[in-house]
């Protein structure tokens, strides 16, 4: 049985009804799920499309109402969730809409009002028929100052470096080392111990692009890049 996804109540009920000995097969499923077939990839792509549209539609609402009557951060977060469903998602997991200084935090309460000249971080996980995506989008309310433009350019550069390394046979730890060394060379502050992970039956699964992981990337892996810079 799939111990990671089966509830304790279900497992105990099956044991009581069948008197069978149940054996977890999570180790085998861990490796199998990391490789997706074309139909699975199509569902993951759809989940990305739905979540992306949800964020964009919420930003469209924000664009016309920032100066009156305006939105609270909680209202904006709810717009992202609703539009993700309206775009076609079959489920939504985590949502973070962080503004201003709160964008530095992994999970900040949805508090305050949306105002001009604020950096926005939109994080959302959603699925299409059970296949997940993990999406982050940044936005700025108004015309971004040069320091924000520069920070965006640095982040996108490191993401492009990471993307170039995502080829079959590449070791996860070496992909991380390449990005980290490039960040150091360019004077970019890389944040966090992970720069990417797999998505599929879960919004976060193997393979993990982290230091010390010798797993090699394979054809059929689907990776969500999460390169965080300061």
């Amino acid at each position: 049985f799939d111990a990671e996804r089966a509830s304790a109540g279900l497992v105990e009920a099956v044991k009581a009804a069948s008197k069978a000995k149940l054996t977890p097969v999570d180790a085998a499923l861990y490796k199998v799920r990391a490789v997706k077939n074309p139909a699975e990839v199509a569902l993951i792509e759809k989940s990305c499309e739905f979540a992306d549209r949800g964020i964009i539609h919420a930003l469209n609402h924000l664009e016309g109402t920032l100066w009156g009557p305006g939105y609270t951060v909680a209202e904006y977060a709810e717009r992202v969730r609703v539009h993700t469903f309206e775009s076609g998602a079959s489920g939504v997991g985590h949502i973070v809409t962080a503004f201003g200084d709160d964008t530095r935090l992994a999970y900040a309460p949805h508090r305050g009002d949306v105002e001009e000249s604020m950096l926005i971080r939109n994080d959302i996980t959603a699925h299409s028929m059970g296949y997940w995506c993990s999406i982050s989008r940044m936005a700025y309310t108004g015309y971004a100052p040069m320091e924000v433009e520069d920070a965006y350019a640095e982040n996108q550069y490191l993401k492009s470096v990471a993307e170039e390394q995502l080829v079959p046979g590449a070791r996860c730890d070496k992909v991380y080392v390449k990005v980290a060394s490039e960040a150091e060379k360019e004077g970019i502050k890389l944040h966090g111990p992970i720069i990417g992970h797999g998505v599929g039956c879960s919004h976060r699964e193997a393979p993990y692009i982290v230091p010390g992981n010798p797993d090699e990337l394979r054809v059929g892996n689907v990776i969500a890049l999460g390169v965080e810079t300061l």
Side-chain angles (χ1 to χ4, degrees), residues 46-61 76-89 92 95 97 122 124 126 135 137:
K46 274 297 180 184
S47 69
C48 291
E49 178 185 329
F50 299 148
D52 206 32
R53 285 180 179 176
I55 294 172
I56 292 171
H57 291 333
L59 287 170
N60 287 341
H61 277 286
Y76 173 77
E78 177 64 4
R79 293 271 178 193
V80 174
R81 187 189 71 84
V82 168
H83 282 299
T84 299
F85 275 114
E86 289 180 348
S87 297
V92 171
I95 296 180
T97 55
N122 300 271
I124 183 170
I135 282 184
R137 270 191 176 272

Side-chain angles (χ1 to χ4, degrees), residues 89-108:
S90 54
V92 171
H94 303 295
I95 296 180
V96 176
T97 55
F99 288 74
D101 290 343
D102 283 343
T103 58
R104 298 174 300 179
L105 305 177
Y107 293 99

